[in-house]
């Protein structure tokens, strides 16, 4: 398996809208395994393909603390949502920042599984929030978009500054 590189805000490639997956094949399953490895290594509880610069509608999640609840959702579509959950969210593409975001507490979502079979699932609480966060990524949207413009630009400036302070890689 391969650990993939995660794009960070404000990289414009995070704004690309992902296209539906046409074929669920072995190459895609390999990519799904790489997504799980990347998410667990980060560590994170969700990862959208957009975040690793692959613009296909696919996401993985695991909100457990022991890697026991992996889900892969290909071409996810939210069919129903209700309730309100306010959660302090973070994002592997916005490292170090956590802010409260309001989303639906309960969702019903259709998707294809790793064998390409159509499935429907119900999710509540953190899993529901995580799936909504990752579907946003597939639409080019980030959790910082729910914050005020002032807050978002403060985060952007700090992340850009942090990156400038990192030592440049040796030129070969
Ligand atoms: Zn995210």
């Amino acid at each position: 398996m391969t650990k993939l590189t995660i794009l960070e805000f404000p990289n414009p490639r995070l704004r690309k809208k992902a296209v539906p997956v046409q074929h669920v094949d072995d190459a895609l399953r390999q990519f799904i395994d790489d997504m799980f490895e990347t998410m667990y290594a980060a560590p994170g509880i969700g990862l959208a393909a957009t975040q690793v610069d692959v613009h296909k509608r696919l996401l993985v999640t695991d909100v457990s603390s022991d890697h026991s609840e992996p889900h892969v959702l290909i071409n996810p579509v939210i069919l129903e949502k209700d309730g309100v959950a306010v959660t302090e969210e973070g994002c592997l593409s916005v490292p170090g920042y956590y802010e409260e975001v309001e989303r639906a507490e309960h969702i019903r979502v259709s998707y294809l599984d790793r064998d390409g079979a159509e499935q429907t699932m119900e999710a509540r609480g953190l899993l529901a929030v995580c799936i909504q966060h990752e579907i946003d990524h597939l639409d080019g949207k980030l959790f910082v978009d729910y914050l005020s413009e002032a807050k978002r630009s403060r985060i952007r400036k700090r992340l850009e500054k942090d990156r400038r302070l990192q030592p440049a890689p040796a030129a070969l």
Side-chain angles (χ1 to χ4, degrees):
M1 291 201 283
T2 315
K3 218 177 100 189
L4 307 165
T5 302
I6 298 175
L7 301 177
E8 291 185 3
F9 176 68
N11 190 314
R13 301 188 69 78
L14 287 166
R15 298 304 189 179
K16 278 188 79 169
K17 196 169 157 63
V19 298
V21 170
Q22 301 292 346
H23 302 287
V24 179
D25 53 17
D26 285 344
L28 191 78
R29 280 185 280 272
Q30 177 62 56
F31 174 63
I32 290 167
D33 291 343
D34 293 344
M35 293 259 299
F36 274 112
E37 186 185 357
T38 305
M39 177 184 76
Y40 287 136
I45 60 169
L47 186 68
T50 304
Q51 291 177 275
V52 293
D53 208 10
V54 172
H55 301 278
K56 293 180 182 173
R57 302 192 74 83
L58 187 161
L59 65 89
V60 298
T61 74
D62 189 337
V63 300
S64 75
S65 52
D66 58 358
H67 300 187
S68 62
E69 294 169 35
H71 292 288
V72 53
L73 280 70
I74 301 165
N75 299 344
V77 175
I78 293 178
L79 304 173
E80 282 172 35
K81 50 166 95 178
D82 55 72
V84 176
V86 178
T87 312
E88 190 165 76
E89 293 188 19
C91 179
L92 296 176
S93 295
V94 191
Y97 291 89
Y98 299 86
E99 296 286 347
E100 284 191 341
V101 177
E102 185 178 307
R103 299 186 190 270
E105 194 277 333
H106 166 250
I107 59 169
R108 200 159 67 84
V109 56
S110 68
Y111 62 98
L112 302 179
D113 65 20
R114 63 180 291 137
D115 298 314
E118 285 183 28
Q119 304 283 353
T120 306
M121 77 184 258
E122 306 246 355
R124 292 193 170 278
L126 184 58
L127 179 58
V129 165
C130 184
I131 291 171
Q132 291 170 82
H133 175 119
E134 304 310 333
I135 290 176
D136 271 359
H137 275 303
L138 303 179
D139 291 324
K141 191 164 181 181
L142 295 164
F143 88 96
V144 292
D145 297 345
Y146 293 92
L147 311 177
S148 68
E149 172 61 40
K151 214 173 228 183
R152 186 165 52 254
S153 92
R154 199 155 59 233
I155 292 173
R156 187 180 59 238
K157 280 182 191 136
R158 282 213 211 117
L159 280 172
E160 284 170 344
K161 188 165 165 232
D162 290 351
R163 248 166 256 145
R164 277 199 303 276
L165 292 175
Q166 284 167 8
L172 294 171

